[in-house]
Amino acid sequence: MLPEEVYKRRPNHNNTSESVILIVANYIVFTVALQLFATCAKIGTFFWVVLGALALYNFFSIRKYREDYGKPQVIAYVVSLAGMILLFILLRSRELTC
């Protein structure tokens, strides 16, 4: 049998910062919502609902971990938002078979 200490995690043992987790979650949710609810010539209403929920998640996540967001993390977050806008434009401008 293994001792009980093996199963206890140390606090802050994971090294992934909250800003990286937020950016990755944003891209995953945005891309899936874009592929499912923004097809062909129509952008579905549920796509905007998902983006609104994602914005609320971002607001509360940034507010909760405000001390972890320095200048480099804020710059990375803003660049990731610009990248999502570019991704939206690129995926919407491609030829689709409907």
Side-chain angles (χ1 to χ4, degrees):
M1 289 290 192
L2 293 173
E4 192 72 27
E5 293 83 29
V6 172
Y7 298 106
K8 293 183 182 177
R9 289 193 63 146
R10 295 181 302 178
N12 298 324
H13 182 65
N14 52 350
N15 294 328
T16 306
S17 67
E18 293 299 325
S19 61
V20 172
I21 292 172
L22 181 66
I23 291 170
V24 170
N26 282 344
Y27 270 96
I28 290 172
V29 171
F30 179 76
T31 307
V32 169
L34 186 63
Q35 292 296 315
L36 292 177
F37 305 115
T39 58
C40 296
K42 183 181 177 200
I43 297 176
T45 305
F46 197 68
F47 175 74
W48 300 113
V49 172
V50 169
L51 284 187
L54 188 62
L56 279 174
Y57 172 73
N58 284 320
F59 173 75
F60 287 116
S61 179
I62 289 172
R63 195 171 123 193
K64 182 178 180 182
Y65 299 108
R66 181 64 189 132
E67 65 275 355
D68 292 342
Y69 284 89
K71 189 174 182 177
Q73 287 84 9
V74 171
I75 291 171
Y77 179 74
V78 170
V79 168
S80 74
L81 290 179
M84 286 196 317
I85 293 170
L86 181 65
L87 182 66
F88 178 79
I89 292 169
L90 288 175
L91 289 178
R92 293 288 297 161
S93 67
R94 66 189 170 131
E95 292 293 325
L96 297 174
T97 56
C98 297

